[in-house]
Amino acid sequence: MAIIFILLFISSACAASVTEHMAGPRVGSEKLYKYSYVTEVLMDRGKVSAKDSAGLKISSKVNVNLVWRNPSNDDDQLMKIMMKDIKIENVTARPKKLNIFEGATAKAIMGKEKLEAFYNPVFLHLKHGKVVHFYSYQNEPENVQNIKKGLASLFQLQPKLSSVNEVDVSGDCKVTYQTNKNQVTKVKKLNSCKIVKNPGFTSNIKVFGVTGMASCGTIYTLENDFIKTAFAEETHIVRLNARQATAVEIISKQKLQLKTIVPGPNEVSGKHVEGIIKSLDPNLVSVSLAAVPVKHECKNCPSLLEHWQAIRKHLEPDNLSKASAARSFLSFIQRLRIAGKEEILQMLKTENQTLLPQLTDAVTAAQTPAAMEAILDYLNFANASDFLLQERFLYASGFASHPNEKMLRSLLNIYNGKIGNSDIKETVVIIMGALIRKMCQQGGCELPAVVEAKHLILKGLEKTEKHSEMKMYLLALKNARLPEAIPLLVKYSEFEIGTISSIAVTALQKYDIIFITKEVKKAMNRIYHQNYKVHEKTVRTAAADVIFSSNPSYMEVKNLLLSIGELPMEMNKYMLSKVKDILRFEIPASKVVRQVLKDTIVHNYDRFSKSGSSSAYSGYMIRSPEALSTYSLDILYSGSGILRRSNMDINIVAKNSPLHASQVVIEAQGLEPLIAATPDEGEEHLDSFAGMSAILFDVQLRPVTFFEGYSDLMSKMFTATGDPMNVVKGLLLLADHSQVIKLQSGLEISTEIQGGMAIDISGGMDFSLWYRESKTTVTNKGALVIAGNFTVDLSFVKAGLEISFESEAMLNFATTVKFSQYPFLVCMQMEKDQFPFREYVTKYESLTSGKSYVSRKRRVQMIPGSEFPLHQENSNMCKEVFKESPSGWF
């Protein structure tokens, strides 16, 4: 980084110090310039160390001479560059027994053919210091040609104060020059470089994404109008947004030093460069100075089946909450991405039913054309018995890290075909919404498949009269978050059926504030204050949440607070708790709420002393400079003491990017007949129902029903096993970043960062009529692994750095209600178990001969378990509940 500091202190006022007539470096006639050249790359976690970094060094002698100069323009010249005496070495000093290069010649390391390719000369046509043509031999190995281009790029130079675009091995880049006497400083803006055919992608989830910083500078010393020395340094820092401490630094250096000048060959006469080149060697061709893509072949790699056999035991259902499952999942995805369709399809056809769901997760997450074709050929959506595999495919599609039009088109084809299970049809449409949002974020909102999917959902909602289809389309819009859908969502937010209006209102909660217009807020106020019709408590409180989170006006907040005291008892308590939470947690609405509370008509004992058990509470799970994670628990009861809605949310913010990590909502209605209680206003005719809805990493999943109707309720109560119902279980690809960093030296770093999660979310709702108690539970079990691999691979030598961290955790949320007395007792508990956090760093270097060097380090930290704090009233209530709770139950 010393170069960067030097660049900052160079003054442009010294520009006139360099010879003014010179428009670029000039090669002396009949002279042979002999240079020494070294290029090296170092990689390490955190800060690069000269003692313990992974990497490699290539050194050689370089001969440069003038071949031709335009008689009418001294700055139009053709020069020959030729490498000699190449050596491949360690980039850091190591003992002989750990030095894989010890005693190995370049010929032994790379082979005769590649060594001869290195020694083939290249010709550089320079005009006014810029490369016009780069001539080399056809069919040279890509890596060899790129390294020679990296060397040739150093001879492109403007010895005057300027800012220009140059094409070199990095691509077409903006470059600035500054001068000071015989010294020229060149700074390349790497983020401006336009690279042809640079494959790569990154995850839609920015929290699990990657942030990169890069700099590149070269300092030249000139002597007699030509380059005496050139020192270049390029730095790349790659950080994980979710864990800034997990960073990798890559440093590439080039050093070109003139050793001597001796008499050289005579110039070739001629008028045009093309004719000169043909006379030298007709096999020479002009190619771009930009690096060419390098094809890597996996030598001695296991087949897809062999890889699967090695990891399949880790993906058994009982192991899905372990880090080994997530790690195996990630490694298998990498192998799937280079597999063919038939190879994948054969594996799907021969695997057993226990492991097929996990195999489906991996094949879908690979997101290659071959993998997508194989899984679509295998699944038969007309067969209702394949429900589990079909659902796992759809959810894996919804969590796709970089979906494309083909994936969305496949869902459209499935929807338009025969589907044997109605739940799968609903899931197809809901996941379409998630893909629409992700593709719009990628700038693909006008792609034909996206337009067709948007039309299907919007027109479907407008035309349907079936309540089940209304819910389906609304859930899809909740995922899609289309601005054009807002009028429809406002319309359905005032629908007469509470479950439908609730979905519409919660869908509006997902929009950014800029989309919550005056018309939307008017509708939310009408719902909350019941201006036109009576609404269920769940809908009214959701409407209040929209108002509070959308920069409410003074009068909007005042009217909300004035309503407290006129609401049903438990809704009174919920709204009071919500206001206190807003004040305590400091959200944008807090300032307005404080202003309103200065009015004693609003803020008085009568209004703020309402009793009840409903509550709203938010807290911090993580507070650090790099990430912020919050949790919130909202509980709303009916006046009879039975749970109406339980809402647990976890949100993450990293690098100013928010992520709704999870939401589990348990809703119940129409259960008052069980305890001979009177329903609240507007809820007298609701059917008995209980179910659960989940959002996972910003994707709304299909809701799960516990029971529907009184007879179904009674049947399940008497046949209940007490086991929780699974909401989502599987393997998810969260982080997915692939990039090739093309260094100025001609070397390239292949960067692969993946994050996988093995997850199991379940929930349940139990009753004891005998003890007049109920309990709802939500259990989140999971394992997270994030791994990064940074590799420089020249086919004959390979060096790399692997970093990873992993954790296994469990989060439990339980609500226990005793309605044997009034006021009833409610206890909420949210706790995490102790869990490990493990970090690994592996550095390696290897030769095709089989010699290798590997260094491994690990660190393990135990994170203590804890119960997350809620309000003091809840703590007091829990003491009463467990003091009276009969032994043997729960």
Side-chain angles (χ1 to χ4, degrees):
M1 297 298 290
I3 288 179
I4 306 304
F5 289 104
I6 293 171
L7 304 182
L8 293 174
F9 290 101
I10 294 176
S11 170
S12 60
C14 300
S17 301
V18 176
T19 307
E20 292 185 3
H21 73 276
M22 183 179 159
R26 291 177 183 170
V27 192
S29 179
E30 298 180 359
K31 293 179 180 180
L32 181 66
Y33 296 78
K34 293 191 174 186
Y35 290 89
S36 67
Y37 176 64
V38 177
T39 180
E40 61 185 45
V41 61
L42 302 94
M43 298 172 281
D44 212 338
R45 182 187 183 280
K47 191 76 176 173
V48 161
S49 165
K51 295 180 180 180
D52 192 33
S53 296
L56 56 89
K57 177 166 66 175
I58 300 173
S59 60
S60 76
K61 296 177 182 178
V62 176
N63 288 348
V64 178
N65 67 274
L66 179 68
V67 176
W68 168 89
R69 176 176 279 120
N70 189 332
S72 58
N73 184 354
D74 287 346
D75 290 311
D76 184 4
Q77 53 198 335
L78 180 68
M79 55 193 289
K80 178 182 176 182
I81 303 173
M82 190 171 181
M83 301 179 75
K84 295 178 63 180
D85 300 334
I86 290 178
K87 294 180 182 179
I88 315 292
E89 302 172 278
N90 280 117
V91 74
T92 54
R94 292 207 184 96
K96 286 187 177 182
K97 62 180 181 179
L98 299 179
N99 186 352
I100 64 172
F101 302 100
E102 180 68 26
T105 64
K107 184 176 180 180
I109 291 172
M110 69 178 71
K112 181 181 177 182
E113 183 180 341
K114 287 188 175 65
L115 185 60
E116 289 178 350
F118 265 114
Y119 290 161
N120 285 336
V122 295
F123 295 83
L124 206 59
H125 181 196
L126 283 175
K127 185 178 286 187
H128 303 295
K130 294 188 74 171
V131 173
V132 181
H133 295 101
F134 175 81
Y135 296 94
S136 69
Y137 290 92
Q138 284 184 315
N139 303 321
E140 286 187 342
E142 296 95 341
N143 275 316
V144 173
Q145 192 175 103
N146 286 342
I147 290 172
K148 291 197 285 187
K149 288 180 178 180
L151 168 61
S153 294
L154 289 176
F155 291 90
Q156 185 163 228
L157 172 65
Q158 297 291 310
K160 59 184 178 181
L161 179 64
S162 60
S163 180
V164 296
N165 267 61
E166 290 183 353
V167 175
D168 65 8
V169 71
S170 303
D172 188 349
C173 312
K174 291 182 179 178
V175 177
T176 58
Y177 288 94
Q178 290 187 338
T179 62
N180 183 12
K181 297 183 180 178
N182 66 334
Q183 184 173 289
V184 179
T185 302
K186 175 180 179 179
V187 178
K188 187 190 302 181
K189 297 180 180 178
L190 292 172
N191 60 356
S192 71
C193 295
K194 298 174 183 177
I195 304 173
V196 180
K197 295 181 181 179
N198 186 30
F201 49 79
T202 194
S203 175
N204 279 90
I205 304 177
K206 292 183 179 179
V207 167
F208 293 110
V210 170
T211 300
M213 295 173 59
S215 62
C216 181
T218 307
I219 295 179
Y220 293 91
T221 303
L222 303 182
E223 186 176 85
N224 297 325
D225 292 347
F226 202 55
I227 298 169
K228 181 179 180 181
T229 62
F231 299 101
E233 183 172 310
E234 181 175 353
T235 302
H236 293 263
I237 298 174
V238 181
R239 283 193 174 92
L240 298 178
N241 291 341
R243 183 172 167 77
Q244 294 284 296
T246 304
V248 169
E249 185 177 49
I250 301 163
I251 294 182
S252 172
K253 297 179 181 180
Q254 291 174 279
K255 183 188 293 185
L256 182 70
Q257 290 181 292
L258 180 64
K259 294 299 183 181
T260 184
I261 303 174
V262 299
N266 296 328
E267 291 182 42
V268 178
S269 61
K271 293 184 178 181
H272 304 290
V273 170
E274 292 79 4
I276 301 295
I277 290 293
K278 281 186 180 181
S279 68
L280 292 173
D281 192 334
N283 293 317
L284 288 168
V285 294
S286 174
V287 297
S288 171
L289 194 56
V292 294
V294 178
K295 298 176 182 178
H296 296 287
E297 293 182 4
C298 190
K299 297 178 181 178
N300 302 318
C301 289
S303 67
L304 183 66
L305 182 59
E306 288 171 338
H307 192 119
W308 175 250
Q309 294 296 335
I311 65 163
R312 65 196 301 272
K313 64 182 179 182
H314 298 299
L315 299 179
E316 294 283 351
D318 292 342
N319 296 329
L320 283 188
S321 59
K322 298 179 181 178
S324 58
R327 188 175 287 277
S328 299
F329 170 66
L330 293 179
S331 70
F332 191 55
I333 286 175
Q334 292 290 348
R335 184 60 186 80
L336 280 164
R337 284 178 170 169
I338 58 172
K341 172 189 172 181
E342 293 303 321
E343 197 177 6
I344 299 170
L345 185 58
Q346 184 61 31
M347 182 175 293
L348 287 164
K349 289 178 177 178
T350 56
E351 192 48 78
N352 63 48
Q353 293 297 317
T354 304
L355 285 164
L356 262 176
Q358 290 77 263
L359 183 55
T360 300
D361 291 338
V363 171
T364 311
Q367 300 170 74
T368 64
M372 186 59 64
E373 289 173 15
I375 192 67
L376 290 172
D377 278 6
Y378 179 74
L379 294 175
N380 178 12
F381 284 85
N383 184 357
S385 63
D386 282 345
F387 170 84
L388 177 59
L389 296 182
Q390 294 165 13
E391 185 178 58
R392 293 284 278 264
F393 161 74
L394 293 170
Y395 283 156
S397 299
F399 294 118
S401 56
H402 51 282
N404 54 31
E405 188 179 15
K406 189 172 183 179
M407 179 177 281
L408 182 57
R409 175 63 64 188
S410 69
L411 295 195
L412 285 165
N413 293 338
I414 291 168
Y415 179 82
N416 292 323
K418 185 178 179 181
I419 300 177
N421 187 293
S422 59
D423 286 345
I424 290 297
K425 182 177 181 180
E426 182 181 352
T427 307
V428 169
V429 177
I430 293 170
I431 296 304
M432 271 189 207
L435 293 185
I436 288 170
R437 183 180 84 250
K438 290 185 176 184
M439 294 184 69
C440 285
Q441 288 172 343
Q442 295 171 181
C445 231
E446 300 306 319
L447 291 171
V450 178
V451 173
E452 185 178 336
K454 289 194 290 186
H455 183 269
L456 184 152
I457 295 169
L458 292 169
K459 295 301 179 183
L461 181 58
E462 288 177 1
K463 293 178 180 179
T464 188
E465 295 181 358
K466 296 179 181 179
H467 293 168
S468 60
E469 290 188 354
M470 290 179 188
K471 294 177 186 178
M472 174 182 74
Y473 291 125
L474 286 168
L475 288 168
L477 290 177
K478 187 175 181 179
N479 271 334
R481 294 175 217 169
L482 298 171
E484 60 264 40
I486 290 176
L488 267 178
L489 292 174
V490 171
K491 171 187 171 183
Y492 281 94
S493 67
E494 299 185 84
F495 200 73
E496 61 267 17
I497 306 297
T499 51
I500 292 174
S501 57
S502 180
I503 296 172
V505 175
T506 55
L508 288 168
Q509 289 177 341
K510 302 293 288 181
Y511 281 85
D512 291 336
I513 293 175
I514 58 173
F515 295 108
I516 305 301
T517 61
K518 289 182 179 179
E519 289 71 23
V520 175
K521 293 173 81 171
K522 285 179 181 178
M524 296 302 103
N525 279 287
R526 287 196 302 268
I527 291 169
Y528 179 81
H529 296 291
Q530 302 190 118
N531 297 136
Y532 295 159
K533 62 180 74 171
V534 175
H535 292 277
E536 296 176 24
K537 292 191 299 295
T538 53
V539 181
R540 296 178 70 189
T541 53
D545 286 341
V546 174
I547 297 168
F548 275 129
S549 61
S550 306
N551 292 332
S553 67
Y554 180 91
M555 286 307 300
E556 283 175 328
V557 172
K558 184 173 182 178
N559 288 333
L560 287 173
L561 298 187
L562 285 173
S563 70
I564 299 173
E566 309 299 327
L567 306 169
M569 184 186 70
E570 284 299 325
M571 191 173 169
N572 273 328
K573 182 62 176 177
Y574 176 85
M575 289 299 293
L576 277 173
S577 187
K578 191 72 178 178
V579 170
K580 291 177 182 177
D581 194 51
I582 289 171
L583 291 172
R584 186 183 58 81
F585 207 63
E586 289 297 336
I587 67 170
S590 301
K591 184 177 180 180
V592 183
V593 172
R594 284 194 177 90
Q595 290 175 346
V596 173
L597 290 177
K598 292 177 181 179
D599 187 340
T600 54
I601 297 176
V602 176
H603 191 194
N604 54 58
Y605 177 79
D606 180 62
R607 199 178 307 282
F608 275 72
S609 63
K610 302 300 180 183
S611 61
S613 299
S614 299
S615 65
Y617 187 87
S618 301
Y620 291 101
M621 299 181 76
I622 299 172
R623 292 182 80 175
S624 71
E626 58 190 21
L628 179 72
S629 179
T630 62
Y631 67 91
S632 62
L633 295 173
D634 290 3
I635 308 287
L636 179 63
Y637 292 96
S638 67
S640 57
I642 295 178
L643 176 73
R644 194 66 176 83
R645 185 187 67 209
S646 164
N647 188 345
M648 180 177 75
D649 284 277
I650 296 176
N651 289 279
I652 302 172
V653 178
K655 294 292 286 185
N656 296 320
S657 297
L659 172 66
H660 196 174
S662 74
Q663 179 189 76
V664 180
V665 179
I666 295 179
E667 290 197 64
Q669 65 179 38
L671 303 183
E672 283 76 12
L674 288 172
I675 56 173
T678 302
D680 291 340
E681 178 192 11
E683 302 180 357
E684 297 87 353
H685 305 294
L686 296 179
D687 292 332
S688 298
F689 166 84
M692 181 158 57
S693 174
I695 291 174
L696 191 59
F697 299 111
D698 236 356
V699 176
Q700 171 70 55
L701 308 181
R702 181 181 56 82
V704 175
T705 299
F706 296 151
F707 58 80
E708 190 164 12
Y710 189 74
S711 58
D712 187 28
L713 165 62
M714 298 309 295
S715 171
K716 289 181 177 175
M717 281 184 64
F718 287 113
T719 60
T721 62
D723 295 331
M725 178 177 286
N726 181 261
V727 180
V728 60
K729 187 173 188 176
L731 297 157
L732 311 178
L733 182 63
L734 299 179
D736 197 13
H737 179 85
S738 180
Q739 177 187 6
V740 176
I741 300 174
K742 296 185 181 295
L743 302 173
Q744 179 176 276
S745 64
L747 298 173
E748 62 178 36
I749 306 293
S750 174
T751 303
E752 300 286 338
I753 299 172
Q754 275 79 39
M757 175 173 277
I759 195 163
D760 184 355
I761 298 178
S762 58
M765 188 172 185
D766 294 334
F767 294 94
S768 172
L769 293 177
W770 181 263
Y771 294 112
R772 297 176 73 80
E773 293 184 10
S774 71
K775 185 173 185 178
T776 59
T777 58
V778 176
T779 301
N780 293 268
K781 292 191 296 183
L784 173 68
V785 174
I786 293 184
N789 195 349
F790 302 81
T791 310
V792 54
D793 187 353
L794 295 177
S795 73
F796 51 86
V797 60
K798 185 176 181 178
L801 171 70
E802 292 180 2
I803 59 166
S804 65
F805 60 87
E806 63 186 34
S807 185
E808 301 161 359
M810 180 185 293
L811 182 67
N812 297 303
F813 171 55
T815 305
T816 306
V817 182
K818 290 178 68 71
F819 45 86
S820 57
Q821 63 187 65
Y822 194 84
F824 43 85
L825 301 175
V826 180
C827 172
M828 294 181 293
Q829 295 170 288
M830 183 175 171
E831 59 186 19
K832 64 175 171 58
D833 295 343
Q834 176 178 278
F835 63 91
F837 182 82
R838 297 181 284 264
E839 291 183 272
Y840 302 91
V841 177
T842 302
K843 301 167 188 176
Y844 60 89
E845 296 162 3
S846 64
L847 302 176
T848 51
S849 63
K851 293 179 69 175
S852 64
Y853 163 80
V854 180
S855 168
R856 293 187 176 92
K857 294 180 181 179
R858 69 192 294 262
R859 182 172 65 179
V860 180
Q861 180 182 4
M862 293 304 298
I863 309 299
S866 65
E867 187 165 340
F868 291 101
L870 299 175
H871 45 83
Q872 185 60 44
E873 190 178 71
N874 179 71
S875 300
N876 297 337
M877 197 83 77
C878 288
K879 293 177 183 178
E880 294 295 319
V881 168
F882 291 111
K883 181 177 70 175
E884 299 183 12
S885 183
S887 60
W889 209 79
F890 295 137

